Amino acid sequence: KQVNQFPHGGPIWSLALTADGSRLATGGADGRIKLWNVADGALFGEIAAHTQEVLALAFTKQGNKLASGSRDRHAMIWDVATQ
């Protein structure tokens, strides 16, 4: 399956993979975080996270929380267990 070449409308600035390798988070120039299922490439969640580029992402070991940092000078923690 081919995934949208520019899912963020521009460059992807950051990414993170869960410890079990099942989910991927991407952070883009659009300030959004997108959540992907690695097995089939399906987008299953999106977070309107920041007002500028998402420059850093990291999942907790359990994969239920995601930290993000942005050029907007904010760091956030997201509950992605329900995504």
Side-chain angles (χ1 to χ4, degrees):
K1 175 179 180 180
Q2 184 173 348
V3 177
N4 183 345
Q5 189 175 7
F6 297 105
H8 289 276
I12 292 174
W13 286 91
S14 56
L15 57 86
L17 189 63
T18 55
D20 67 4
S22 66
R23 299 194 299 168
L24 176 73
T26 58
D30 58 1
R32 295 173 110 44
I33 297 169
K34 297 194 179 201
L35 301 169
W36 307 87
N37 181 338
V38 172
D40 62 7
L43 177 68
F44 69 88
E46 186 171 345
I47 303 167
H50 295 279
T51 60
Q52 294 184 28
E53 297 96 331
V54 180
L55 301 176
L57 291 170
F59 280 103
T60 58
K61 185 175 181 180
Q62 300 79 11
N64 62 334
K65 301 224 185 279
L66 178 69
S68 65
S70 170
R71 190 177 304 273
D72 68 11
R73 298 184 179 191
H74 290 94
M76 306 291 284
I77 305 290
W78 308 96
D79 182 357
V80 293
T82 58
Q83 298 284 329

